[in-house]
Amino acid sequence: MSRGAARSTYLSWLARALAPVDASASAGGPDDLVLGYATGYGRGDVEAFVRSLRAVHDGPVGLFVDPDPEFREWLASQGVEALDPTACAGWAPLPVVARFGDYARLIESRPALRNVLLTDVRDVVFQASPFAQPITGLEVFVEDEDHSLGQNPFHSKYLRALAGDEVADTIADRPCLCAGTIIGPAADVARLCRLILTLGAIPRSSVGGGFGIDQASLELAVHQGLVAARIRPNYSRVATLGRCIDGVGVDEDRITNPDGSISPVVHQYDRHPELMGLVRGLWSAETRDRVRTGPQGLSRVQAKLKATLSRYLMEFR
């Protein structure tokens, strides 16, 4: 490395993640694609997602998954393409960050794609096609309609870790956005993925690959006007339930919004036992409860401590 060059494990990974993609051998027509990241999951974690989606969407669906033959065979039986995450020698960011590199590469390798929904998997269920409502541009969705960025401790923490207090203060009055559900024209979605990863390089350290930075990078990109995106309110195309579901109900086996409408995509339903029971009864007897299994262990505690300290220590340039 040349004298004075920035040294960062994240930047080294980023160079590989954003390498040009060869789309010369691409196939397929102008389809609408649902794309998710399900590494570390099994059938019990994704069955409600897959079966509810297949009830309303007959287009392509792709999930990045581990090399589990039995799981992949079941996905194939549901018409879901099992995708391989990019292998990485050495340091790699957490999957919540790394997924955007794989998303961008997959989309760019298939230039005929029309629209793409990027979505979380384990805590998402579908009630109608996410593409039924016209898509005219990139859409991002409000996660916490009751608090601004500056008022939400989770969002504020990671935004300040990414961009610093002064930058965070300039958008503290803007809405909290969700990195778990993004939809739009394929080229726009891929471009946003690359921008999220590039903004994660601001700290030039492992902070860029840490938990919550994907969310903060999305909010920085949208609220600073670095990408043209329509901010959709909660309970629109997507309902993000969080921990409070005041006014949310059930009507004929569908989850209803406070105004009685139905959102095609329901996110974070698994925070609520009554909704978890409904989804399990409709789509999957194997859907597991959202519980922590076993102790965290010393290695996980050490990793969390390292991540916390790295947000406050100056990085050698």
Side-chain angles (χ1 to χ4, degrees):
M1 183 176 290
S2 62
R3 183 180 180 85
R7 300 181 181 183
S8 166
T9 52
Y10 182 83
L11 287 176
S12 297
W13 172 85
L14 184 64
R16 299 189 296 272
L18 298 186
V21 174
D22 180 10
S24 59
S26 64
D31 291 313
D32 295 328
L33 171 67
V34 176
L35 193 57
Y37 222 74
T39 57
Y41 293 165
R43 175 174 171 175
D45 300 295
V46 308
E47 188 168 12
F49 174 95
V50 169
R51 292 187 61 208
S52 66
L53 175 58
R54 275 298 175 224
V56 297
H57 173 69
D58 60 4
V61 179
L63 293 180
F64 288 92
V65 296
D66 297 325
D68 179 340
E70 184 176 349
F71 182 33
R72 286 177 171 235
E73 182 179 354
W74 179 80
L75 289 175
S77 74
Q78 304 298 310
V80 175
E81 181 180 3
L83 301 165
D84 296 318
T86 301
C88 184
W91 183 90
L94 292 177
V96 292
V97 174
R99 59 180 171 167
F100 289 100
D102 281 331
Y103 288 160
R105 294 178 65 82
L106 187 282
I107 295 168
E108 290 165 357
S109 72
R110 303 180 184 185
L113 285 173
R114 184 169 47 215
N115 298 303
V116 177
L117 168 67
L118 304 182
T119 175
D120 285 353
V121 176
R122 178 188 48 76
D123 59 355
V124 167
V125 68
F126 295 87
Q127 305 191 120
S129 170
F131 304 105
Q133 302 170 9
I135 296 173
T136 58
L138 193 64
E139 295 180 12
V140 296
F141 302 92
V142 172
E143 180 174 70
D144 178 1
E145 66 271 24
D146 295 324
H147 302 92
S148 67
L149 278 174
Q151 295 169 333
N152 184 297
F154 171 86
H155 286 260
S156 180
K157 172 183 177 180
Y158 292 106
L159 181 60
R160 294 179 186 282
L162 173 72
D165 291 343
E166 292 175 322
V167 171
D169 287 343
T170 65
I171 57 174
D173 61 337
R174 304 304 303 276
C176 301
L177 306 179
C178 181
T181 51
I182 298 168
I183 196 169
D188 294 341
V189 172
R191 190 177 302 112
L192 176 60
C193 289
R194 287 177 169 269
L195 181 56
I196 287 172
L197 293 178
T198 301
L199 290 173
I202 291 175
R204 293 216 300 241
S205 73
S206 58
V207 172
F211 183 78
I213 297 302
D214 58 320
Q215 196 98 336
S217 295
L218 171 66
E219 289 165 334
L220 193 63
V222 173
H223 293 320
Q224 286 203 329
L226 305 181
V227 62
R230 179 184 178 188
I231 300 175
R232 296 292 303 275
N234 201 5
Y235 305 115
S236 54
R237 193 187 302 269
V238 175
T240 303
L241 303 185
R243 301 192 180 279
C244 178
I245 55 171
D246 291 344
V248 173
V250 175
D251 181 22
E252 296 184 354
D253 293 334
R254 293 197 296 178
I255 298 169
T256 59
N257 298 325
D259 65 357
S261 64
I262 303 291
S263 290
V265 183
V266 179
H267 186 202
Q268 298 178 358
Y269 69 86
D270 65 340
R271 274 69 166 171
H272 310 283
E274 62 273 34
L275 299 182
M276 189 72 174
L278 170 69
V279 170
R280 179 186 285 115
L282 287 172
W283 300 116
S284 174
E286 293 192 23
T287 299
R288 289 192 281 267
D289 291 324
R290 185 174 182 266
V291 295
R292 183 187 297 277
T293 56
Q296 292 196 55
L298 180 60
S299 61
R300 185 168 179 179
V301 172
Q302 289 174 332
K304 285 187 174 182
L305 178 60
K306 179 181 178 181
T308 299
L309 290 174
S310 65
R311 286 198 294 272
Y312 300 101
L313 296 176
M314 182 178 296
E315 183 175 12
F316 292 108
R317 297 295 196 259

